[in-house]
Amino acid sequence: MLTPASHVRPAPHARRWYTLASWLVVLLGLLHNGAFVSGFLLDAVRRQSSPVFQSMQEYKINLFGTHSLLKFYEGFSLTMGCLLILLGVLNLIVSRSLPLPALRSAALFNAVACLLLTGLSLVYFHVLATSLFVLALAGYTVCYVRSAP
């Protein structure tokens, strides 16, 4: 339950860190989808002659219809980029109206999410993705610490 004191707006410095971290998540999604789409368009000819992409195209998955592994790869990759963009934008939208306890809780949730994503990124992704997750984690963590009552 919110108390009268919890309606106090967060300190500007805490909001700045939260906003910065949210923009980093949006940036990662934009970079990911931009690189995927430009690489897909630029490498269309090379993809047709690549044995890896040919194998992915030929490998069929029967899951509510028949799909190629390549379609799953492309779909999941674009979905990941879109979800990162949407998560960052959602955080930017709600952060403007959140009272301090709610902003602090959101920062904690996002820090835990970024920690998990950083771990996955260390195993599966490249250094740019990992770096942006680490920076977003730092931003949300600083927001959480600085917004302490």
Side-chain angles (χ1 to χ4, degrees):
M1 183 169 154
L2 296 176
T3 63
S6 67
H7 292 289
V8 175
R9 307 264 307 165
H13 61 275
R15 184 178 311 283
R16 274 188 233 124
W17 284 104
Y18 191 95
T19 301
L20 173 65
S22 298
W23 275 114
L24 288 169
V25 174
V26 170
L27 177 65
L28 180 58
L30 289 171
L31 288 172
H32 176 79
N33 279 359
F36 183 86
V37 169
S38 67
F40 183 79
L41 295 176
L42 295 175
D43 292 340
V45 173
R46 203 169 21 169
R47 285 173 151 235
Q48 291 176 348
S49 62
S50 167
V52 173
F53 285 109
Q54 284 297 319
S55 295
M56 289 175 73
Q57 180 65 36
E58 293 167 6
Y59 188 86
K60 301 299 181 193
I61 299 170
N62 292 314
L63 183 65
F64 302 109
T66 303
H67 309 279
S68 71
L69 181 61
L70 183 60
K71 285 291 183 187
F72 268 85
Y73 160 75
E74 292 168 346
F76 277 109
S77 187
L78 288 170
T79 299
M80 183 190 80
C82 288
L83 287 173
L84 286 169
I85 294 166
L86 294 171
L87 175 66
V89 169
L90 179 65
N91 276 308
L92 289 168
I93 291 169
V94 300
S95 70
R96 296 183 176 269
S97 61
L98 291 178
L100 186 57
L103 182 72
R104 192 161 196 265
S105 296
L108 178 61
F109 173 82
N110 283 297
V112 170
C114 284
L115 182 63
L116 173 66
L117 293 170
T118 298
L120 290 170
S121 184
L122 284 168
V123 175
Y124 295 107
F125 301 139
H126 49 80
V127 70
L128 179 61
T130 304
S131 300
L132 288 172
F133 280 133
V134 166
L135 291 171
L137 169 62
Y140 288 126
T141 302
V142 170
C143 175
Y144 179 78
V145 170
R146 289 202 172 177
S147 63

